[in-house]
Amino acid sequence: MIRLSFHGAAGQVTGSMHLLEAAGGRFLLDAGLFQGHRAEARELNLRLPFDPRRVDGIVLSHAHIDHSGRLPLLVRNGFHGPIHATPATRDLCAVMLPDSAHIQEKDFEFLQRRDKAGEQSEPLYSLADAVATQDLMVGVPYRRITHLRKHLAFEFLDAGHILGSASVDIRITEAGSHRLVFSGDIGRSGLPIVRDPDPPSGPVDTLIVEATYADRKHESVADAEERLAEAVRRVAARGGKVLVPAFALGRVQELVYSLHQLWRARKIPEIPIYVDSPLAVDVTTVFRMHPEIFDQREHLIASESRLFDFPLVRYVRTVEESKALDTSPGPMVIAAASGMAESGRILHHLAHGIGDHRNLVLFVGFQAEHTLGRRIKDGANPVRIFGDELPVRAEVQSIDGYSAHADRGELLAWVRRLGGPIRRAFVVHGEASALEAMAKALKEAGVHDVRIPRLGESFDL
Ligand SMILES: [Zn+2]
């Protein structure tokens, strides 16, 4: 019997976690955190639908928190099996999960102050749980077949999404052969630093595929770079600040890389670029540890030590330095977490800067529904930050070309490159319109059995 149950990213974007029961064992694909509205997300995260002590192992697609952030919760509740991840994902988790534990503690304080913590008397998990999780991580390089059990093996392939990201190709050989492919998050072709996606090939019995941007088309990476250069020149000329809410993992490094290239090509003026996120600084250190999986290998390795360092860029760690940026005059670029402007230092910069017409709020990543980033992007005015209604006078711009997610055409190209027939597909990781667009496209491509699983739904394969 092979059974698949969807315990996250099912009808939504966050919380990626799928339980595979096969070959007499129980394995999770991802263990991501539900994010968004704090109290609701907390309820979802706390409701573990199985006993973690009875899970034999975990296969992790990549280090983004919506794919990895429930790992310490599982460990806290008794999971003690191996967590398989690429070496870069393992090393990224060593900085991402302790940061997530810190956020859990802050969120818990916030809910307690508002009396919304419910019966729970403690944060979702602690730093100690994050550290214990790291001890269970097993590094598995791309394209190395690894046995989870006697009749169950998997292989990681590069998903081209962020450093270390993988699609998972699983073979179950008990009572016949069954091939299950889990896409993970699929990246774009031509993104800086990471390689292009490398999908598995051949017939697939069961496909689990993401759909984040299945209803959209992105501009090209080259166009994105041009627009970034234009934006920086325009704002610099009027003495303003470019405020970029950016994910510490992925977006920040690509942005710095692009700005470095633009500066070398003399396409942007000499203005300071601040990376204001201790997590982004730590993540950048992990990037430096893994040049072996960078794109354009020789070229990048040759200049690897300076890839993220050039005269204009400054990495900000302390709160004092961060605050000083708000009172310093422009022009400057500030990239700070969080990527959807829900928390983190970007909130302080927005609170200070969103009312100044010289400034630009620049979005380079996905902005989920119900986030401050999405409200600003959609033109809300005024916006509420730290309890104050603030008028939006700054310019607002989005550059989708830096998205780490494949757009509609790229998702379908990835599916086509699988080559063989697909017997059954489950569409996950998207808002309703994206999920439906992907399901429709798969049917048009000849996949007869396509489903959009609901949270908690199980299927016998
Ligand atoms: Zn991701």
Side-chain angles (χ1 to χ4, degrees):
M1 185 213 69
I2 304 172
R3 170 173 283 191
L4 197 54
S5 309
F6 295 87
H7 297 303
Q12 74 259 75
V13 178
T14 63
S16 177
M17 185 164 80
H18 316 304
L19 177 65
L20 171 66
E21 294 168 85
R26 294 155 64 83
F27 296 89
L28 289 174
L29 302 172
D30 285 352
L33 198 70
F34 289 104
Q35 294 166 305
H37 186 272
R38 277 196 194 85
E40 284 166 22
R42 186 180 163 80
E43 282 306 304
L44 281 171
N45 285 319
L46 278 170
R47 209 183 303 142
L48 282 177
F50 48 79
D51 182 350
R53 288 171 299 189
R54 293 191 52 235
V55 173
D56 299 298
I58 299 174
V59 180
L60 177 62
S61 69
H62 64 292
H64 273 152
I65 287 300
D66 63 323
H67 294 256
S68 68
R70 266 193 285 179
L71 289 171
L73 180 68
L74 296 175
V75 171
R76 186 185 185 91
N77 286 285
F79 172 77
H80 55 269
I83 302 167
H84 302 271
T86 65
T89 296
R90 176 199 60 201
D91 295 344
L92 286 167
C93 281
V95 296
M96 297 295 287
L97 296 179
D99 182 76
S100 177
H102 179 70
I103 293 170
Q104 291 313 318
E105 285 163 6
K106 290 275 170 220
D107 279 359
F108 180 70
E109 283 171 25
F110 174 91
L111 291 172
Q112 264 190 328
R113 278 200 306 276
R114 280 168 175 66
D115 227 12
K116 284 184 183 163
E119 296 144 30
Q120 289 304 313
S121 55
E122 54 189 17
L124 213 52
Y125 51 80
S126 67
L127 180 61
D129 300 317
V131 172
T133 302
Q134 206 59 31
D135 288 342
L136 301 175
M137 292 263 183
V138 180
V140 179
Y142 292 119
R143 290 198 174 269
R144 178 181 293 174
I145 294 170
T146 302
H147 279 81
L148 294 167
R149 288 179 84 81
K150 192 169 175 204
H151 296 290
L152 180 57
F154 79 94
E155 195 178 343
F156 282 133
L157 292 127
D158 202 327
H161 167 63
I162 56 164
L163 193 79
S165 67
S167 301
V168 191
D169 189 357
I170 300 169
R171 307 277 182 158
I172 304 151
T173 48
E174 187 193 38
S177 169
H178 190 104
R179 186 182 192 196
L180 186 153
V181 170
F182 172 42
S183 70
D185 284 359
I186 301 168
R188 308 195 61 196
S189 297
L191 273 182
I193 309 168
V194 295
R195 291 184 188 154
D196 291 351
D198 173 25
S201 58
V204 174
D205 295 289
T206 303
L207 172 67
I208 307 172
V209 65
E210 70 116 329
T212 317
Y213 277 120
D215 56 348
R216 266 170 272 189
K217 180 175 176 356
H218 296 321
E219 67 202 323
S220 74
V221 176
D223 286 351
E225 205 157 79
E226 278 308 316
R227 293 220 293 143
L228 175 65
E230 259 168 45
V232 172
R233 289 197 299 264
R234 187 171 69 241
V235 178
R238 63 187 189 225
K241 298 176 182 176
V242 182
L243 306 174
V244 193
F247 285 106
L249 169 50
R251 289 299 68 65
V252 163
Q253 291 76 27
E254 275 158 18
L255 193 72
V256 168
Y257 177 84
S258 266
L259 289 167
H260 189 175
Q261 304 302 314
L262 291 170
W263 171 70
R264 285 167 65 116
R266 298 174 196 273
K267 288 183 172 175
I268 56 169
E270 305 243 343
I271 65 170
I273 295 158
Y274 295 97
V275 174
D276 183 18
S277 160
L279 179 61
V281 178
D282 292 339
V283 166
T284 306
T285 304
V286 179
F287 269 62
R288 289 197 188 97
M289 289 160 61
H290 289 283
E292 78 280 4
I293 52 171
F294 286 179
D295 207 355
Q296 303 165 28
R297 213 160 158 214
E298 290 77 5
H299 160 67
L300 288 186
I301 289 174
S303 58
E304 177 254 327
S305 62
R306 293 188 308 277
L307 201 54
F308 306 107
D309 291 307
F310 58 108
L312 305 186
V313 73
R314 295 186 188 130
Y315 290 92
V316 178
R317 271 198 186 269
T318 69
V319 173
E320 292 69 34
E321 282 177 273
S322 174
K323 282 183 175 162
L325 296 180
D326 290 327
T327 47
S328 315
M332 64 175 74
V333 177
I334 305 176
S338 75
M340 300 190 205
E342 276 298 271
S343 56
R345 293 182 178 178
I346 192 66
L347 282 181
H348 294 272
H349 300 310
L350 288 171
H352 274 88
I354 205 161
D356 187 333
H357 67 275
R358 291 171 300 175
N359 296 344
L360 167 67
V361 183
L362 182 64
F363 293 105
V364 290
F366 184 73
Q367 303 298 314
E369 285 171 345
H370 313 301
T371 61
L372 175 64
R374 177 73 160 258
R375 286 193 287 278
I376 296 173
K377 187 176 167 168
D378 287 348
N381 189 5
V383 290
R384 180 178 285 269
I385 304 177
F386 297 131
D388 295 324
E389 295 282 341
L390 301 173
V392 179
R393 295 194 197 93
E395 186 189 346
V396 176
Q397 185 183 353
S398 299
I399 300 182
D400 286 337
Y402 285 102
S403 171
H405 284 277
D407 69 4
R408 178 184 176 80
E410 290 161 329
L411 280 174
L412 295 176
W414 186 91
V415 168
R416 269 198 305 278
R417 282 175 61 197
L418 293 173
I422 299 165
R423 250 179 50 203
R424 181 192 292 111
F426 294 100
V427 184
V428 297
H429 203 284
E431 290 176 358
S433 58
L435 293 168
E436 276 151 29
M438 189 70 188
K440 186 160 173 273
L442 285 168
K443 282 180 191 158
E444 283 165 9
V447 188
H448 296 299
D449 187 355
V450 182
R451 295 165 197 240
I452 300 172
R454 289 190 307 272
L455 190 62
E457 209 173 356
S458 294
F459 298 86
D460 288 326
L461 307 180

